[in-house]
Amino acid sequence: MRIIKSVPKTNLEKLTKEVLSRGPNAALPKNLPDRWLRAIGRDLLRAQKANMEGREDDLSLDLTGPLLLVVALRTHRENVPYGQGSFTAHDLKEDLDQYAVAVADEIVGRETGIFLRRSQLMETG
């Protein structure tokens, strides 16, 4: 039986320093270090599970880390300074859903060597 690794709570200061400080391409799942990929994947799956169980208002859910990465990618794609983008909640939800697929694909790919790349994330050149 495989030992389940405990992933610590997402530290936004460290995420900003270790990922976002390297530019928007660093936010792509394929470029995330394993520890960040696991933490972001955990945050996304917890939210998806809560949504499926009708617990959307669960205060223990935290999507701040994934949202920071999605906003970095979106603002770069729209060629606006980080944090100054103008987009709707619907846009963010769609991007977050796409990002969740890309994160799941990346985790499976790293574990199996089979990369699906189903999501058309905003490649930033």
Side-chain angles (χ1 to χ4, degrees), residues 1-8 38 42 45-46 111:
M1 178 180 244
R2 185 172 179 186
I3 296 174
I4 297 176
K5 298 176 185 173
S6 175
V7 180
R38 285 191 306 270
R42 183 234 15 244
L45 284 175
R46 280 185 180 163
E111 290 292 320

Side-chain angles (χ1 to χ4, degrees), residues 32 37 105 111 119 121:
L32 289 174
L37 186 66
D105 284 353
E111 290 292 320
S119 178
L121 267 183

Side-chain angles (χ1 to χ4, degrees), residues 16-44:
T16 300
K17 182 180 176 183
E18 296 175 14
V19 177
L20 292 175
S21 68
R22 297 182 312 146
N25 276 333
L28 293 168
K30 68 181 182 179
N31 296 335
L32 289 174
D34 285 341
R35 72 182 180 284
W36 283 116
L37 186 66
R38 285 191 306 270
I40 296 302
R42 183 234 15 244
D43 294 347
L44 289 164

Side-chain angles (χ1 to χ4, degrees), residues 72-125:
L73 291 168
R74 178 170 271 281
T75 55
H76 183 73
R77 183 182 74 196
E78 293 180 356
N79 200 26
V80 295
Y82 180 73
Q84 295 182 16
S86 174
F87 38 85
T88 67
H90 178 73
D91 293 336
L92 261 184
K93 169 97 171 72
E94 283 185 356
D95 286 353
L96 196 59
D97 289 344
Q98 257 189 359
Y99 197 75
V101 169
V103 166
D105 284 353
E106 186 63 28
I107 291 169
V108 169
R110 290 184 192 185
E111 290 292 320
T112 66
I114 301 169
F115 292 88
L116 296 176
R117 305 271 190 244
R118 295 178 289 164
S119 178
Q120 297 301 313
L121 267 183
M122 327 132 211
E123 293 291 330
T124 55

